[in-house]
């Protein structure tokens, strides 16, 4: 059960990083890139991409081990 929670959290982190990448690098604007963002601060999206990618990798590594 713990592995499912960790893998689900890792998937969430990777999706969040992908959403920020689509929004900032590809200028893709749809419901997927707008959901969950209360304010538009593109200068901080690179920080979110890095943080959520690293968090996803750590969660996935813990789930696999």
């Amino acid at each position: 059960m713990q592995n499912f929670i960790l893998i689900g959290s890792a998937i969430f982190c990777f999706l969040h990083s992908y959403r920020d990448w689509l929004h900032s690098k590809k200028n893709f604007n749809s419901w997927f890139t707008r959901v969950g963002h209360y304010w538009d601060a593109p200068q901080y999206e690179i920080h979110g991409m890095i943080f959520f990618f690293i968090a996803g990798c750590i969660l996935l590594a813990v789930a696999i081990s």
Side-chain angles (χ1 to χ4, degrees), residues 11-30:
I11 289 171
F12 171 78
C13 288
F14 289 135
L15 279 175
H16 192 279
S17 181
Y18 180 63
R19 179 189 68 178
D20 285 345
W21 179 77
L22 281 176
H23 187 71
S24 66
K25 302 297 182 196
K26 298 292 184 180
N27 292 325
F28 188 73
N29 198 6
S30 73

Side-chain angles (χ1 to χ4, degrees), residues 45-58:
E45 285 182 349
I46 187 70
H47 299 95
M49 284 189 284
I50 293 169
F51 174 78
F52 279 106
F53 182 76
I54 291 171
C57 289
I58 290 171

